Every structure is written in C-alpha cells, then in structure tokens.
C-alpha cells in the first residue's frame, strides 16, 4: 500500500490499483497505461520501496514507477534508481534506515545501502573517471575532492552537481604536485595540505581563494577539534596546531628520534579534549590540549596483537 492508501495488485498478470479512501479501483497512471510494452505485459511481482513501485514482469523485466513525479523507467534507463541483483527476486524489504534488502528463492540476499543512493549520479564517473583522487572531505551536503592533476572539485550531494573549483590566486604548481589532505572547517573554509605547504582557502561561488599559507611539508592527516583549532600531521614526529581564528601556530614535538623514519597517519580526540596521535612504527601519543605536553601511551604487547591487521600505505 502506498502512503496515499492505494493498493497495487496484479490479477491474472494484469495490473490494477485500488483506492482505500474511495473504496474503488482507480485508473492506472498514464505513464503505465500508455507504455507500449508494460501496458500489455504480465506483471508477476510488485514491490514498494524508496518512493517507487517496482514492477516485475513474468519475463523478469523490471520497471520503476516514481510516485512523486509519475515517471516510469525501465531497468536499462539512466533514471532507473535501483541496482537489481542478478537473480530472481522473491521478496524486497526496505528497513528503517532506508536500506533495501533483495531476497531470492535460492541465492540468499543482497543489500543496497541507502547512502549509496545519494551518489547515484553518472557525473562523478564522467568527470572523475580515470583521475587520481588524492584526498576528500565531507562538509554538510558537499564533498571536496583533490585530484592529482586536475585540481579540486566540489560535489553537491543534494543537487547531484560537480564543479571544478577555480583559483582566484593560484596555488603554485609545485605545491599542487601532491595534495596529502584537505579538510573543510565549520566556517566553510578549506584547509589544504600539499607537498610543500598548508593553505587556508575560502570557497565562494565555486572559486577558491588563498587566505594564508604555512611552510609545513607533506601533510598527511588533518583534523579540526572542538575548540577552533586544526591539527596537522606529516612525515615527521612534529605536529602543527593552527588556531582557526587567530591563525597562530604551535609545533608539538612528539619526541621521536629524528634518525627514525616515521609519520603521523592519524589524529583523534579524547572526551577530555586531549589529542591522540598515531605515529608509524612508534605507537600512540597523547597531547594535553592546554599545555601541549606529550606522553606516550603504554599499550601492552598482547593488546597490540589483538588489533585488526590490515594493509598499510607508507608514503
């Protein structure tokens, strides 16, 4: 039953709609009634999910009828919103998180996760296909993506549009050879860590303007805290803290022997506001957010051995 109280049903393969509010059958939508194939096809299954009626014919052809705009799409059409598994459907279920469960008679099930639907836009493949995306960050309804050779893009999730950010005052080409990380802060500004420097930029009407830069090479990770600061790690044992308001900087030395190769690959925050920094091959460190004093976190060997092992990218 649809939210309007209409029951879609198939009898002897023919489609009908019964209105519970009028207690009578109502005409089929024009998009279905006038369709050259669907209007005369035998409908074997009907499912309601994600604001659409999924119609399956006895020859396993799939149609999606949009209840909002009364449009109809065949499974090969660009506007077809579902990723139908390659098996015969028995049941389709949409859970409370808007994930769609596709169930078969004999081949188990597959899940289409709701968050993927927000990115069902061929423009991402058309524009970014074949390009190396070095870093990305999500801010509200926008995703910022830094590429190897083609600059920085902004994808608007709600509009489904992708724009290349133009630079009003250009970042030098030598600094754009490798963008290790980008982050958007609460003020809507974009922080960019390159092979040479860290840049703070404003974003306005798809234009990028440099507000400030700092000599801090090879930034790998970057994370804003809840106190208006941005913490940055790079290929060393030195962290940089930048106050987002005053733009004052502080360098925090983790105390790692400079003869050892390391890099800070992850930064996070404790409930106290203190900072956790993970240094390659050197373990984890806690930094006091006020005094900036550093202490190494003692983790037992057997606890390390219980951690999930994974492949590691070493820059």
């Amino acid at each position: 039953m649809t939210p309007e109280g209409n029951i879609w049903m198939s009898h002897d393969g023919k489609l009908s709609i019964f209105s519970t509010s009028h207690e009578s059958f109502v005409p089929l939508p024009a998009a279905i009634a006038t369709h050259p194939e669907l209007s005369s096809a035998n409908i074997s299954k009907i499912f309601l999910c994600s604001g659409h009626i999924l119609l399956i014919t006895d020859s396993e052809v799939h149609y999606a009828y949009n209840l909002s705009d009364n449009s109809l799409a065949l499974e090969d059409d660009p506007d077809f919103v579902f990723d139908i598994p390659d098996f015969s459907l028995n049941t389709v279920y949409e859970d409370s998180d808007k994930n769609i469960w596709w169930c078969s008679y004999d081949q188990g099930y597959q899940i289409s996760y709701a968050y993927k639907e927000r990115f069902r836009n061929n423009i991402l493949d058309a524009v970014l296909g074949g390009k190396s995306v070095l870093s990305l960050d999500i801010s509200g309804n926008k995703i910022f993506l830094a590429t190897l050779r083609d600059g920085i893009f902004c994808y608007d999730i709600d509009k489904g549009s992708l724009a290349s950010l133009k630079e009003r005052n250009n970042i030098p080409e030598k600094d754009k050879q490798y963008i290790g990380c980008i982050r958007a802060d609460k003020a809507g500004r974009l922080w960019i860590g390159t092979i040479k420097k860290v840049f703070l930029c404003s974003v306005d009407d798809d234009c990028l303007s440099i507000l400030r830069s700092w000599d801090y090479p090879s930034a790998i990770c970057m994370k804003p805290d809840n106190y208006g600061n941005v913490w940055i790690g790079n290929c060393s044992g030195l962290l940089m803290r930048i106050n987002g308001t005053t733009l004052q900087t502080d360098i925090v030395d983790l105390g790692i022997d400079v003869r050892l190769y390391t890099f800070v690959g992850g930064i996070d925050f404790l409930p106290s506001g203190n900072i956790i920094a993970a240094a390659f091959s050197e373990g984890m460190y806690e930094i006091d957010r006020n005094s900036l004093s550093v202490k190494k976190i003692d983790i037992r060997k057997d606890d390390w051995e219980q951690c999930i092992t994974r492949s590691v990218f070493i820059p």
Side-chain angles (χ1 to χ4, degrees), residues 14-303:
K14 302 305 177 184
L15 185 64
S16 300
I17 302 175
F18 183 81
S19 171
T20 57
S21 58
H22 295 89
E23 298 185 353
S24 63
F25 287 93
V26 295
L28 295 176
I32 297 176
T34 61
H35 192 276
E37 285 85 26
L38 183 58
S39 58
S40 58
N42 289 325
I43 307 298
S44 59
K45 297 165 189 172
I46 303 171
F47 302 107
L48 170 66
C49 47
S50 295
H52 293 74
I53 299 291
L54 178 62
L55 303 168
I56 305 176
T57 69
D58 56 4
S59 55
E60 294 294 324
V61 179
H62 302 82
Y63 295 85
Y65 175 74
N66 190 321
L67 292 169
S68 299
D69 61 16
N70 301 311
S71 61
L72 182 70
L74 182 61
E75 56 190 318
D76 295 330
D77 295 340
D79 295 334
F80 192 80
V81 297
F82 299 115
D83 291 321
I84 303 294
D86 189 23
F87 52 64
S88 180
L89 294 173
N90 177 31
T91 300
V92 178
Y93 170 71
E94 183 177 17
D95 65 25
S96 58
D97 292 324
K98 303 300 181 183
N99 303 314
I100 300 176
W101 298 63
W102 310 97
C103 305
S104 71
Y105 286 100
D106 55 0
Q107 298 184 56
Y109 65 89
Q110 290 186 21
I111 304 173
S112 293
Y113 291 96
Y115 71 89
K116 293 183 178 180
E117 295 301 315
R118 305 186 75 186
F119 304 98
R120 284 187 59 86
N121 192 314
N122 291 333
I123 191 172
L124 285 175
D125 290 331
V127 177
L128 296 178
K131 291 180 172 57
S132 297
V133 177
L134 301 176
S135 181
L136 62 84
D137 191 33
I138 301 175
S139 177
N141 68 330
K142 293 183 178 179
I143 301 177
F144 294 95
L145 307 102
T147 63
L148 179 61
R149 303 182 187 278
D150 300 278
I152 297 174
F153 293 81
C154 179
Y155 178 69
D156 190 304
I157 298 174
D158 295 334
K159 296 179 181 178
S161 60
L162 184 69
S164 175
L165 297 183
K166 303 176 180 62
E167 298 176 16
R168 287 200 176 99
N169 45 347
N170 293 341
I171 298 175
E173 287 298 323
K174 63 180 180 180
D175 291 325
K176 291 191 294 187
Q177 293 175 2
Y178 179 80
I179 297 178
C181 51
I182 58 174
R183 285 292 180 270
D185 63 20
K186 294 180 180 179
R189 302 172 302 182
L190 200 62
W191 298 77
I192 304 171
T194 73
I195 196 169
K196 295 290 186 181
K197 297 184 177 184
V198 170
F199 293 89
L200 172 61
C201 303
S202 63
V203 181
D204 182 41
D205 295 330
D206 296 332
C207 287
L208 202 64
S209 299
I210 300 175
L211 301 175
R212 184 79 178 268
S213 66
W214 296 266
D215 291 325
Y216 185 76
S218 303
I220 294 176
C221 61
M222 187 183 296
K223 192 164 185 177
D225 63 20
N226 293 326
Y227 306 96
N229 304 302
V230 175
W231 291 81
I232 310 168
N234 70 350
C235 290
S236 74
L238 302 176
L239 293 183
M240 174 182 271
R241 180 181 71 172
I242 304 177
N243 185 291
T245 302
T246 66
L247 302 186
Q248 176 184 344
T249 63
D250 294 288
I251 297 295
V252 179
D253 189 344
L254 298 181
I256 300 173
D257 190 331
V258 295
R259 295 171 297 179
L260 300 175
Y261 175 75
T262 189
F263 58 88
V264 176
I267 296 173
D268 211 339
F269 306 103
L270 296 173
S272 64
N274 286 354
I275 298 85
I276 293 289
F280 173 73
S281 79
E282 296 300 315
M284 300 175 67
Y285 295 80
E286 179 179 350
I287 300 100
D288 186 280
R289 73 177 185 89
N290 295 313
S291 66
L292 300 185
S293 60
V294 177
K295 67 175 181 180
K296 190 169 184 179
I297 299 175
D298 184 25
I299 300 177
R300 297 184 308 176
K301 182 180 178 180
D302 56 342
D303 286 337

